[in-house]
Amino acid sequence: VFTRDGSRFLSASEDTSVRVWSIGAEEPLQVFKGHYRDVRALALNADDRYLASASADGTVRVWDLREDGEATVDGPSHGSWVRDVTFTSDGDDGEYLISASDDRTLKACKLVSRARPYTLAGHKDYVLVVTALPDSPRVVSASEDSTLKVWYVPGAMLVHDLTGHTGIVFDVAVSEDGRLAASASQDRTLRVWDLRAGRELAVTSLDGSLKSVAFSRENTLLVGDWGGNVYCFRYVAPEVSDFKKS
């Protein structure tokens, strides 16, 4: 995970630590310890002050990058591994922290708040990924139950249930304008979704099970499979009707 100015990056490790690095440095600037099992995911909030870490110990911790030492806030706790974590905003209502877990739920709480976390329930299997829409209080989650779900975080409301995949959805990415999502699945398909309408716009099949997906700023999608291959697709937004493989 890189800071927005590109001057630092953060690493998560099986040694249970989180480290902050300066580009080109041989030693970390900061080391945060507090988890007791491997750290699975990291996220930075909007101003790069707070770092959230998700761990196989079932917890989320929030660290203030302006300070060293103990976690500033204990985030949501789950009954199993926490696979992913993200921040999202609700404008004047402040930032929310959202986590995804093998206990089949997402949990949300206000950033730097002692309010009790609440649960977003609906998936029927492990929740592997949660991705925030830019400048929005909504997130998209991807699960081993073959579905994606769009949530309105402040109200813990399910907005859209996106179905079509027939295997585990390993990854989901959201376009820069927040209108599109792309999902990579075990079923060997890449699918693109209209997040406003909650419908599938396009699907393309590849030769292997797909592991990861990302949008670029050049109207392209990058897709990786479990065999180590990377594919690049050009698309026309927002009405994606066809893919051109390159």
Side-chain angles (χ1 to χ4, degrees), residues 23-90:
I23 301 298
E26 295 183 0
E27 297 293 330
L29 299 172
Q30 294 169 289
V31 179
F32 297 107
K33 294 184 177 180
H35 290 292
Y36 63 87
R37 292 189 65 184
D38 50 306
V39 182
R40 308 293 302 182
L42 302 173
L44 285 166
N45 81 314
D47 64 4
D48 284 346
R49 175 175 179 177
Y50 294 105
L51 165 68
S53 56
S55 172
D57 64 15
T59 68
V60 175
R61 296 181 182 271
V62 180
W63 314 86
D64 188 340
L65 295 184
R66 298 180 186 179
E67 300 180 12
D68 294 316
E70 296 296 322
T72 301
V73 176
D74 287 332
S77 293
H78 288 267
S80 189
W81 284 24
V82 186
R83 294 280 182 174
D84 202 10
V85 64
T86 192
F87 289 98
T88 192
S89 175
D90 186 29

Side-chain angles (χ1 to χ4, degrees), residues 88-89 131-133 136-140 150-153 159-160 195:
T88 192
S89 175
T131 301
L133 277 65
S136 169
R138 298 188 181 195
V139 297
V140 185
V150 182
W151 307 88
Y152 176 71
V153 175
V159 179
H160 297 301
L195 292 179

Side-chain angles (χ1 to χ4, degrees), residues 145-167:
D145 67 10
S146 304
T147 72
L148 299 104
K149 297 184 187 295
V150 182
W151 307 88
Y152 176 71
V153 175
M157 293 173 53
L158 177 62
V159 179
H160 297 301
D161 196 2
L162 306 179
T163 60
H165 284 295
T166 58

